[in-house]
Amino acid sequence: MTDARWSEPAPTRRWSWTDPALRSAVIQIALAIALIWMAWSFFANAQANLARQGIASGFGFLDNSAGFGITQTLIPYSESMSYGRAFLVGLLNTLLVAALGIVLATIIGFLVGVARLSKNVVIKALASAYVEVTRNLPPLFQILFWYLAVLSTMPSPRQSWSFGLQPMFNAFAGWASGIGLTPLSDMLAALAGDVSAPGVFINNRGLVVPRPVFEADFSIIFWIFVAGIAAAFLLARWARRRQERTGQQFPSFWAGLALVAVPPTIAGFLLGWPLSFETPVLRGFNFVGGIRVIPEFVALLVALAIYTAGFIAEIVRAGILAVSKGQTEAAYSLGLRSGPTLRLVVIPQAMRVIVPPLTSQYLNLTKNSTLGVAVGYPDLFAIFAGTTLNQTGQAIEIIALTMAVYLVISILTSALMGWYNKRVALVER
Amino acid sequence: MVHSFKRILLAAGVLALGVGAAGAATLDDVKARGALNCGVSQGLPGFSNPDDKGNWTGLDVDFCRAIAAAIFNDASKVKYSPLSAKDRFTALQSGAIDVLSRNTTWTMSRDTTLGFNFVGVMYYDGQGFMVRKSLNLKSVNELNGASICVQTGTTNELNVGDYFRTNNLKYELIAFATIDETIKAYDSGRCDAFTSDQSQLYAVRLKLTNASDHVVLPEVISKEPLGPVVRHGDDQWFDLVKWSYFALVDAEELGVNSKNVDQMVSSPNPEIKRLLGSDGKFGEAIGLPVDWVARMVKQVGNYGEIFDRNLGPNTPLAIDRGLNKLWNKGGLQYGMPVR
């Protein structure tokens, strides 16, 4: 079937300033040209000025040796390595604090957000107080508070607070023998013997914990563990499908937990538990061995997580309130209890409102991690845009590279959250 | 419109890069402005530090005052810009200050690639370490495995790495952006040692909660020649600042001080006559009147007087002159002859 309107010949386009489509195209092209010209003139001007002053340019400095030490390195690093390596160390430190901060802030934020809607007056008041305090204090102030007022009051290494792992293992061994799992009890008792010395220390240099030393056979246990996780996922999927089909429920959480926990434990027992612990020892000024979490990292992580959680709590509250009361009432009338109602009816709908602003908060947290420079946390900004810039004097290259890195991190976060948002978005049938 | 837009862009670019026009005659600009723009630290007792009335004092400050006295016959015509270790070089490159007199270590890369000239060494320093007395340490080499606090953007940060690596010692370096953050972290016990130039260690010690609980270790692990800096591209200004420094040292060597300078003008000693302008016209070669040295010494004092006033035995710092004695008294301070 044809429409008469479409068969008429299109009117011929005329060069006319009154044609809105043409006018908008011309303006856009002119704007694009102006932008390109502006970028080019910045670039040319910078080059000319640098050449005039005889200041070095280019990225060759990345191969020069850095010469400065870094407190926290996730990959091997020493002063004789290059600025490029120092850049990587800083980047990983930024990613570490941002990733852990996002996870922590999300957990705290969801808990507080739900608590603000609680019918219990005390819980509600506490959650409200949390949000008002954390949201209204500057993040830099909060970082300095945790660093100077809390963490620096910890005792010196010699007077560390110490905790042994032995009592914990002994307690588990007693519990295991109590319920008749003699082999497990024996194994835990043996492990307790391995860690007789206190292994966990807290002092003003940070938190020191024993480092697990994996022997060759441990990879078998690891892969069994991974297989267990995969199996648990498949089981959960099967259980959900079955429930959709037949309405019968299956305890997939407990079954999954058993799949993840039991086979590696049995394998570990059969292999003679190929795992030992390197216990930290106080030698000279600091602890040697073990894994150390520096207070700069803790202060930054805690401050960022707590600060951002205040905003996330409000977003979560708004999201839940956006789901109409009728949804809850409908769920109740179907016989769902309040837990499943929240989990299956309210939260999935609330997520549509929550996810877009949540993305902004994740980006904010990542960008705020640059404030770590105030407490000496060696993130990308401190190491690269700070120390490296001061030493090499190559401001343009370094600032451009740092900008590009934060831009890429932010765009990747947005893309990931955009993908998740599509998944939780309303599916119209 | 496009042209003015282009100019704005170029100006923004220049500002953004911190690359100002290295104009020809700095002296003319200073005279027209009526004040010397002097870059100093954000507060380092003995070198550049505001006193309880808000007046800047210190060795580095007095050098700027001496230049102002030579130019204007008024040592107070100085405008101070307090700068962090990180920002100091940009301020000089962009022309925001005429001279950087801020305990800056003379290194080859700073003298060449940053586009600067160091005029001399106001203070021969070296890097040292401060620790708590209770640790009972006798030497830096006992600091194996220690945590060390340092200010970033300094030569100190690099020297620690060099020294500990060469001596096969382990260490943990915690770098802070400002000197105050560094001091706070050391004071709270985050670090076993605090490192900076020795002169600074004594000044920092005064800021700690309990100064007498801390000692400075005897080793000096580096050479830190601290001196004033000017931009490339204005040789007359470079000469003026350089010879102001030499003249202050020469005045001390010849026994000319703020109290006797008026009588010394009629001294028969030919060296003093040339220095104070009663013979020859040396000041005119650098754009100044013949009595330029007399003005400096009368208002600010000679090098020895400046040192004693700010760092000497009657100050809280009480730093021994050591390497900063005159060359003929066992030190390194050596003023080139005026003739």
Side-chain angles (χ1 to χ4, degrees):
Chain A
M1 193 170 138
T2 52
D3 192 315
R5 272 176 299 167
W6 300 120
S7 53
E8 281 174 24
T12 43
R13 273 269 155 91
R14 284 266 184 77
W15 243 111
S16 167
W17 199 232
T18 51
D19 180 351
L22 190 70
R23 194 169 58 214
S24 121
V26 168
I27 290 174
Q28 285 184 44
I29 291 170
L31 191 67
I33 292 173
L35 278 174
I36 293 169
W37 173 80
M38 201 165 112
W40 177 83
S41 71
F42 269 124
F43 179 74
N45 183 49
Q47 276 213 322
N49 276 323
L50 287 179
R52 188 162 60 81
Q53 293 246 328
I55 295 175
S57 59
F59 286 94
F61 72 92
L62 285 172
D63 294 328
N64 299 351
S65 82
F68 56 89
I70 303 178
T71 348
Q72 177 187 292
T73 57
L74 299 180
I75 48 174
Y77 170 84
S78 79
E79 300 84 356
S80 50
M81 288 185 187
S82 65
Y83 285 120
R85 186 78 174 183
F87 167 81
L88 270 186
V89 170
L91 176 60
L92 287 175
N93 285 344
T94 291
L95 291 178
L96 178 74
V97 81
L100 285 178
I102 284 173
V103 171
L104 266 181
T106 309
I107 295 172
I108 303 173
F110 267 80
L111 291 178
V112 175
V114 172
R116 270 202 96 175
L117 295 168
S118 164
K119 288 193 180 65
N120 183 321
V121 181
V122 178
I123 291 180
K124 191 174 174 171
L126 278 178
S128 300
Y130 175 93
V131 169
E132 291 313 326
V133 170
T134 56
R135 270 201 322 177
N136 291 319
L137 293 173
L140 179 61
F141 170 82
Q142 296 195 30
I143 294 169
L144 289 175
F145 168 80
W146 285 101
Y147 189 62
L148 292 172
V150 180
L151 295 176
S152 71
T153 57
M154 300 287 170
S156 71
R158 272 159 229 262
Q159 276 95 43
S160 296
W161 297 333
S162 57
F163 307 94
L165 290 178
Q166 195 174 24
M168 193 183 79
F169 278 114
N170 277 331
F172 277 121
W175 167 78
S177 74
I179 58 171
L181 290 171
T182 324
L184 182 65
S185 160
D186 290 347
M187 187 188 78
L188 288 169
L191 270 180
D194 282 349
V195 290
S196 53
V200 179
F201 299 91
I202 294 178
N203 54 49
N204 59 11
R205 307 288 161 80
L207 166 74
V208 199
V209 295
R211 180 198 298 275
V213 182
F214 304 108
E215 286 150 37
D217 286 348
F218 194 83
S219 61
I220 300 174
I221 301 177
F222 176 75
W223 287 116
I224 290 176
F225 176 71
V226 171
I229 293 178
F233 263 107
L234 290 176
L235 181 76
R237 228 170 85 168
W238 170 80
R240 201 169 57 242
R241 293 241 168 103
R242 195 179 74 138
Q243 190 183 348
E244 277 167 10
R245 215 172 46 241
T246 66
Q248 284 175 302
Q249 292 195 338
F250 182 81
S252 57
F253 176 76
W254 294 108
L257 193 67
L259 274 177
V260 173
V262 175
T265 314
I266 296 172
F269 177 67
L270 292 177
L271 290 168
W273 216 239
L275 173 71
S276 58
F277 286 96
E278 178 193 82
T279 321
V281 193
L282 181 64
R283 196 174 298 149
F285 297 96
N286 283 314
F287 282 90
V288 180
I291 298 175
R292 192 159 65 97
V293 186
I294 57 172
E296 291 78 26
F297 172 74
V298 178
L300 183 62
L301 177 67
V302 169
L304 286 182
I306 285 181
Y307 172 75
T308 313
F311 292 89
I312 293 181
E314 285 297 90
I315 292 171
V316 169
R317 187 171 73 112
I320 292 174
L321 287 178
V323 180
S324 86
K325 201 167 189 301
Q327 297 282 329
T328 315
E329 287 167 351
Y332 284 164
S333 69
L334 286 174
L336 284 180
R337 276 169 289 129
S338 65
T341 302
L342 194 67
R343 209 171 62 241
L344 299 173
V345 177
V346 177
I347 298 266
Q349 298 186 72
M351 285 313 274
R352 290 174 201 145
V353 181
I354 291 173
V355 171
L358 194 62
T359 310
S360 309
Q361 292 307 324
Y362 288 176
L363 300 181
N364 278 346
L365 189 143
T366 310
K367 288 180 289 180
N368 283 341
S369 71
T370 52
L371 292 170
V373 71
V375 291
Y377 179 69
D379 74 334
L380 179 71
F381 191 74
I383 287 188
F384 202 63
T387 313
T388 306
L389 170 58
N390 184 268
Q391 281 180 23
T392 61
Q394 291 192 245
I396 295 176
E397 291 86 350
I398 287 176
I399 294 297
L401 198 55
T402 313
M403 261 165 51
V405 167
Y406 280 103
L407 201 61
V408 166
I409 296 177
S410 292
I411 288 174
L412 283 181
T413 313
S414 297
L416 203 67
M417 293 299 283
W419 169 80
Y420 180 67
N421 192 33
K422 269 211 187 101
R423 278 200 45 166
V424 298
L426 193 66
V427 184
E428 294 184 13
R429 290 180 232 246
Chain B
M1 190 212 107
V2 173
H3 284 288
S4 67
F5 185 46
K6 187 173 177 180
R7 262 206 300 278
I8 292 169
L9 276 179
L10 286 174
V14 168
L15 285 178
L17 294 171
V19 187
T26 312
L27 179 60
D28 292 343
D29 293 347
V30 173
K31 279 181 176 163
R33 198 189 302 130
L36 174 76
N37 284 344
C38 172
V40 293
S41 78
Q42 291 166 311
L44 176 63
F47 287 84
S48 42
N49 198 35
D51 65 12
D52 48 9
K53 292 179 202 75
N55 300 316
W56 284 91
T57 60
L59 184 83
D60 289 338
V61 167
D62 278 348
F63 183 63
C64 282
R65 292 179 64 235
I67 298 173
I71 298 172
F72 301 112
N73 199 14
D74 182 353
S76 66
K77 290 195 168 167
V78 185
K79 265 171 49 189
Y80 299 98
S81 300
L83 300 167
S84 78
K86 229 182 104 180
D87 304 332
R88 53 186 161 179
F89 300 127
T90 320
L92 184 60
Q93 281 175 329
S94 66
I97 53 175
D98 303 311
V99 56
L100 176 69
S101 183
R102 189 206 174 282
N103 54 293
T104 302
T105 305
W106 189 344
T107 68
M108 182 161 172
S109 61
R110 288 173 177 176
D111 203 356
T112 55
T113 57
L114 291 183
F116 296 148
N117 281 324
F118 279 79
V119 304
V121 180
M122 278 298 281
Y123 188 95
Y124 288 93
D125 211 337
Q127 185 176 341
F129 290 80
M130 178 163 61
V131 294
R132 284 177 182 71
K133 236 180 218 167
S134 56
L135 291 175
N136 275 324
L137 295 183
K138 298 276 173 291
S139 155
V140 174
N141 295 326
E142 294 174 67
L143 279 174
N144 193 9
S147 303
I148 298 168
C149 282
V150 71
Q151 190 191 0
T152 194
T154 58
T155 47
N156 304 138
E157 195 177 8
L158 298 171
N159 295 331
V160 178
D162 286 354
Y163 185 84
F164 277 67
R165 217 165 1 135
T166 326
N167 290 286
N168 243 332
L169 301 170
K170 281 200 168 19
Y171 71 104
E172 177 198 38
L173 193 70
I174 304 134
F176 295 87
T178 70
I179 188 81
D180 282 333
E181 284 161 3
T182 323
I183 296 169
K184 232 178 270 171
Y186 170 71
D187 209 10
S188 75
R190 175 65 182 89
C191 301
D192 299 298
F194 174 93
T195 186
S196 75
D197 295 348
Q198 285 230 318
S199 59
Q200 272 193 54
L201 289 181
Y202 291 102
V204 163
R205 198 161 70 141
L206 298 178
K207 292 190 176 180
L208 295 174
T209 323
N210 203 341
S212 57
D213 286 351
H214 303 267
V215 286
V216 173
L217 293 176
E219 282 99 338
V220 175
I221 67 161
S222 70
K223 293 186 286 188
E224 305 290 335
L226 310 180
V229 198
V230 295
R231 273 185 298 279
H232 272 172
D234 186 352
D235 286 350
Q236 186 202 29
W237 181 247
F238 178 38
D239 285 344
L240 187 155
V241 179
K242 180 168 63 181
W243 281 96
S244 300
Y245 158 67
F246 288 148
L248 291 173
V249 179
D250 284 332
E252 186 190 7
E253 187 184 336
L254 295 171
V256 180
N257 59 40
S258 53
K259 291 183 195 70
N260 67 10
V261 62
D262 288 335
Q263 293 88 56
M264 281 292 191
V265 173
S266 46
S267 157
N269 181 333
E271 283 185 84
I272 294 176
K273 281 172 96 167
R274 283 194 294 271
L275 185 70
L276 297 181
S278 41
D279 180 17
K281 294 183 171 172
F282 292 96
E284 287 176 3
I286 51 172
L288 294 176
V290 290
D291 64 339
W292 61 295
V293 181
R295 290 172 169 191
M296 289 199 294
V297 174
K298 189 161 184 193
Q299 297 189 28
V300 187
N302 65 33
Y303 179 83
E305 287 179 285
I306 293 174
F307 191 102
D308 283 347
R309 183 186 319 133
N310 297 301
L311 308 165
N314 295 325
T315 66
L317 290 166
I319 297 178
D320 184 57
R321 258 186 89 169
L323 289 175
N324 295 295
K325 286 183 190 141
L326 291 180
W327 63 280
N328 53 7
K329 297 200 173 126
L332 292 172
Q333 287 296 347
Y334 188 106
M336 306 307 154
V338 175
R339 77 172 308 135

